[in-house]
Amino acid sequence: MLTSTRVVAAVAGFLFLLPAGAAQAFCGFYVAQADSKLFNKASKVVIAHQSKGLGDHEIAITMASDYEGDPREFAVVVPVPTFIERKQIGVVEIATINHLDAYTAPRLVEYRDGDPCYVPEDRAYAKTAMAMPSPKAMSERYRGVTVEATYEVGEYDVSILAAQESDGLVNWLADNRYRLPDGAPAVLGSYIKQNMRFFLAKVNLDRMQAQGQSFLRPLQVRYHSAKFMIPIRLGTLNANGPQDMIAFVLSPRGRVETTNYQTVALPTGMSLPLYVKQDFGTFYKAMFERAVAQKDMRAVFLEYGWDMAWCDPCAADPLKNSELVELGVRWIDSDEPKAFRGSRGDFPGVYVTRLHVRYDAEHFPEDLMMQETANRENFQGRYALVHPWRGEAKCKAGDTYFDGLPDRYNREADTLADLTGWDRAAIKAKMEQNGQPFESQRASGIDQFFRRVFE
């Protein structure tokens, strides 16, 4: 029976980025019955966006999150710009989001130096809700709160609320035994002034068990909006410290960026010491945290931008058209079974932007306002390991090659220290222990050296 259990969504396929349990964010906020405390720990948001004209954005937003608690106490509130009909709401299989996550994830690639006396280097890529009887106006205590519709969507009960002022909405939630985080009335009031509705979803445990569901599937809402935005402010209200959100934006035109905060491409393309392969996740976490600190936690970071048709190198296969349609991409055919590995032609016309933001209420007081650009330049968070030639090289070029390795290793040590803030001396010591010495290894002894290190 699903009572006090850990309910997980959208973390199993997360590749080489954050460790389990890292605090992350959500578009809305969680509310909990009685004294239960639910913390929003991890989130991924997929947005399919197509501009239909000036001030008309067709948006499908799919929300996934990881939290701990009794699923009967789960509820989420998300501001939406318009009334939502049942046909605009659905659930998405978590495997589809995991696939998109893996495809866009920062990656570690490996190259191997060729024989400096004979062939150019041989490069080998490593793959590496609360249901109401009927919509009606609430009592005076609720001051204009209206439950406009209720729906059954998979394992969720969904309600669409409208409100005229935050006090009435707060009273409605309180009378229905929900505890709101501190600061909620002010933020709710700002959305009410924008004439936004509120999307409330709650787990129906009986229906979830009858369907044989062990995991809460991500919820998707589709709508038209005058604004292209990601509402994040509500997610800061019950946050246990700064939060992280990964936003995957699918668009027909090109790269997506924020307009009210700086969008910064993360450092990429660097050659790193070989030992980083042992714990790429630790490196990436340290690198990202340092980048956040350097921008005073006031920037949104680009981790990936690419045409869905192909990849190089591929961390996972590009998504099939059927998966893209499931995520809300409605400008392509849904019956295309092919995955477009390694081909630049015949692509489905989808550009994916992966944005990573760490935020709190102090540094991100506004929701993320977005814009789609015509920039289709490819970008990926990619970090390289370059293995040295291990064999003999009985030529002048070979002597030059081996004499130059210590300088290369020093540059790699400097790069890793700059990216992470780690101690350079400690980095060099680890490199020495893992077969990257800072003295020249001539061809005559290279085989014995590497046998000693790697055997």
Side-chain angles (χ1 to χ4, degrees):
M1 180 175 180
L2 291 171
T3 54
S4 295
T5 185
R6 178 176 174 83
V7 181
V8 182
V11 292
F14 200 51
L15 181 64
F16 293 139
L17 190 54
L18 292 174
Q24 296 199 323
F26 198 62
C27 287
F29 68 88
Y30 288 110
V31 290
Q33 291 180 337
D35 293 327
S36 298
K37 296 180 180 179
L38 295 175
F39 289 98
N40 185 17
K41 299 187 66 176
S43 77
K44 299 169 190 173
V45 178
V46 182
I47 300 171
H49 169 266
Q50 184 180 22
S51 176
K52 307 296 286 188
L54 186 63
D56 184 8
H57 302 275
E58 187 175 278
I59 294 171
I61 181 167
T62 305
M63 301 162 287
S65 192
D66 176 22
Y67 77 104
E68 292 184 4
D70 188 333
R72 291 173 299 187
E73 296 177 356
F74 169 89
V76 63
V77 177
V78 180
V80 291
T82 186
F83 175 75
I84 304 296
E85 298 181 27
R86 171 62 184 86
K87 64 183 180 181
Q88 296 171 256
I89 310 171
V91 291
V92 171
E93 294 301 323
I94 189 60
T96 305
I97 295 180
N98 288 343
H99 187 181
L100 180 60
D101 187 3
Y103 171 73
T104 60
R107 63 213 59 198
L108 191 65
V109 298
E110 293 184 85
Y111 303 116
R112 298 185 183 276
D113 288 345
D115 184 346
C117 294
Y118 179 57
V119 293
E121 70 177 20
D122 172 30
R123 297 187 174 184
Y125 295 128
K127 287 195 177 200
T128 3
M130 182 130 336
M132 302 296 290
S134 63
K136 65 177 183 178
M138 296 293 104
S139 66
E140 178 61 26
R141 169 170 167 75
Y142 301 148
R143 300 179 186 177
V145 173
T146 303
V147 179
E148 296 185 322
T150 61
Y151 309 118
E152 294 182 2
V153 183
E155 59 268 33
Y156 298 96
D157 288 329
V158 174
S159 295
I160 309 300
L161 273 65
Q164 295 180 5
E165 57 183 88
S166 61
D167 287 349
L169 183 56
V170 169
N171 289 340
W172 189 96
L173 292 169
D175 287 356
N176 284 275
R177 300 178 61 203
Y178 289 93
R179 173 178 294 182
L180 274 67
D182 294 339
V187 178
L188 292 171
S190 69
Y191 288 118
I192 291 172
K193 289 178 181 178
Q194 299 176 56
N195 295 317
M196 299 186 79
R197 267 84 163 182
F198 298 90
F199 176 96
L200 174 63
K202 184 176 181 181
V203 176
N204 185 308
L205 189 61
D206 291 338
R207 196 160 64 245
M208 182 177 177
Q209 292 174 332
Q211 294 172 349
Q213 290 287 338
S214 300
F215 300 90
L216 294 182
R217 291 174 294 180
L219 269 168
Q220 182 181 99
V221 186
R222 300 179 296 276
Y223 52 81
H224 284 259
S225 174
K227 298 179 180 178
F228 182 16
M229 63 177 287
I230 304 178
I232 63 170
R233 287 181 297 147
L234 286 175
T236 66
L237 297 177
N238 60 345
N240 187 13
Q243 304 177 80
D244 284 79
M245 181 178 68
I246 308 294
F248 310 88
V249 189
L250 305 168
S251 60
R253 187 178 177 210
R255 188 181 297 180
V256 171
E257 59 188 26
T258 53
T259 60
N260 56 337
Y261 296 100
Q262 187 179 12
T263 303
V264 179
L266 281 170
T268 187
M270 287 79 171
S271 179
L272 302 177
L274 299 178
Y275 81 85
V276 170
K277 182 178 180 179
Q278 301 168 13
D279 198 352
F280 179 55
T282 298
F283 153 74
Y284 194 83
K285 182 175 183 291
M287 185 273 294
F288 181 75
E289 289 176 346
R290 186 168 175 83
V292 169
Q294 289 173 338
K295 292 296 182 180
D296 192 30
M297 206 166 77
R298 299 181 189 276
V300 177
F301 293 93
L302 174 69
E303 290 183 324
Y304 192 85
W306 210 277
D307 280 296
M308 184 59 71
W310 65 292
C311 48
D312 181 22
C314 295
D317 287 321
L319 274 65
K320 298 178 181 178
N321 272 21
S322 57
E323 294 175 292
L324 294 170
V325 171
E326 181 184 2
L327 292 172
V329 175
R330 300 303 170 96
W331 58 89
I332 60 173
D333 295 333
S334 62
D335 58 352
E336 173 58 70
K338 159 183 173 184
F340 298 86
R341 171 178 286 282
S343 172
R344 302 192 187 203
D346 192 28
F347 61 87
V350 178
Y351 189 95
V352 57
T353 306
R354 176 180 175 129
L355 300 173
H356 186 174
V357 57
R358 177 167 295 173
Y359 69 99
D360 59 19
E362 176 185 355
H363 297 87
F364 281 81
E366 300 176 355
D367 293 318
L368 301 183
M369 306 305 298
M370 316 296 290
Q371 70 174 3
E372 183 179 0
T373 74
N375 183 358
R376 298 187 71 88
E377 180 182 0
N378 295 323
F379 175 87
Q380 59 181 299
R382 179 176 63 180
Y383 308 91
L385 305 180
V386 183
H387 294 268
W389 173 249
R390 296 189 184 184
E392 292 186 347
K394 296 180 179 180
C395 65
K396 184 177 180 180
D399 290 341
T400 302
Y401 169 79
F402 287 118
D403 287 343
L405 284 178
D407 287 340
R408 187 171 97 183
Y409 297 160
N410 272 295
R411 290 193 299 272
E412 291 177 356
D414 290 341
T415 296
L416 185 58
D418 290 343
L419 289 175
T420 62
W422 292 345
D423 180 71
R424 189 177 184 278
I427 291 171
K428 292 185 69 174
K430 281 193 173 183
M431 292 176 70
E432 291 268 9
Q433 294 167 9
N434 286 269
Q436 289 186 285
F438 290 87
E439 293 182 0
S440 176
Q441 298 294 308
R442 292 294 182 125
S444 60
I446 197 69
D447 286 335
Q448 293 87 342
F449 172 78
F450 276 102
R451 279 200 295 270
R452 184 172 65 252
V453 170
F454 289 101
E455 286 181 357

